[in-house]
Amino acid sequence: MTTPRLLAAAYAALAVLAFAPRLPWLFAAVCVAALVALGELWLRALAGEAMPAVTRIGLATASGLVSLPFLAITLHVTDILIRPRTVAIGLAVLVTVLGVVVLLRERASGAAIDPRLPRTLAAVAVPGLVTLVAGFLALQAYDRLPHPPEPGFTSLALNGWAAGIEGPVAIPARGVHVPVRVSSAGVPARTQPLRVRVGARLISGRPLAVAPDTTRSVDVFVPAPPGGCPQRIEISLGVTSTVFYGRGPGRC
């Protein structure tokens, strides 16, 4: 394939990526084609010599893939949002620069590209495209199949200031109110026991109504542990629980 035709194919693929509707199968196939074309331009610009067609396709694919993180870093440094259209435009700029280098190099040296490359590229691309289409159709069919409902759950976690606890908490003699987050999804409304344990002792317990598919914050009173040594404090709701360590006033 001549360089002008390769450039035309690369620009056409990038135009599809930038302006075509977001069809997943089309986007993936065109993106692969654009990256292979870009990688071939890299090879022509940097190497130029002939090589086996299969080797060239592999190197072109790798070179095209490497261009994506390079472009993403460039967009980030220049404070440009990384979006499909900006990526396509950036790749078009890169294609233009490489195309100019390749055309100047070919004009100066008269180097020719292996004529077997288009046939080998087609031999690799056709099975890959068939695999891509078959995989896409299989995923679409799987999504339409009936699936069992996800199991419901009720969760309990430290909330608010307590979510940042990283070590034993100093609890004053008057005790402290600890906020906890109660979440429920996929289960009917129920009432579960909310308990507070300090060490092995059950300090308090009360029923707590848990509404379905909700998340709310509840304040739980935790008295000061006896003594100043850290003790395990467990707040539980039914079979779920959360734990932290606290110490009361006084010496350990």
Side-chain angles (χ1 to χ4, degrees), residues 78-103:
T78 54
D79 291 329
I80 299 175
L81 292 178
I82 300 176
R83 297 288 186 269
R85 184 164 297 180
T86 58
V87 171
I89 294 173
L91 291 176
V93 173
L94 185 57
V95 165
T96 302
V97 174
L98 292 174
V100 171
V101 173
V102 172
L103 291 174

Side-chain angles (χ1 to χ4, degrees), residues 8-24:
Y11 286 132
L14 293 174
V16 172
L17 294 179
F19 302 107
R22 293 290 178 262
L23 299 176

Side-chain angles (χ1 to χ4, degrees), residues 76-223:
H76 176 72
V77 170
T78 54
D79 291 329
I80 299 175
L81 292 178
I82 300 176
R83 297 288 186 269
R85 184 164 297 180
T86 58
V87 171
I89 294 173
L91 291 176
V93 173
L94 185 57
V95 165
T96 302
V97 174
L98 292 174
V100 171
V101 173
V102 172
L103 291 174
L104 292 177
R105 182 170 186 168
E106 289 179 351
R107 183 175 181 180
S109 64
I113 301 302
D114 190 343
R116 296 171 297 175
L117 179 62
R119 294 193 299 270
T120 306
L121 182 59
V124 174
V126 170
L129 181 60
V130 171
T131 302
L132 181 65
V133 172
F136 175 77
L137 294 177
L139 288 176
Q140 292 294 316
Y142 176 78
D143 289 338
R144 293 190 181 96
L145 292 175
H147 300 286
E150 295 184 0
F153 68 89
T154 300
S155 66
L156 179 72
L158 296 175
N159 196 32
W161 66 265
I165 292 177
E166 297 180 351
V169 178
I171 300 177
R174 65 179 181 277
V176 66
H177 286 87
V178 178
V180 295
R181 184 178 66 254
V182 179
S183 299
S184 175
V187 294
R190 62 180 65 180
T191 299
Q192 295 181 288
L194 179 65
R195 300 186 179 95
V196 177
R197 288 185 172 86
V198 176
R201 296 181 301 135
L202 176 62
I203 301 300
S204 64
R206 62 184 174 91
L208 179 69
V210 180
D213 302 319
T214 59
T215 298
R216 63 171 174 147
S217 183
V218 177
D219 286 339
V220 179
F221 178 74
V222 176

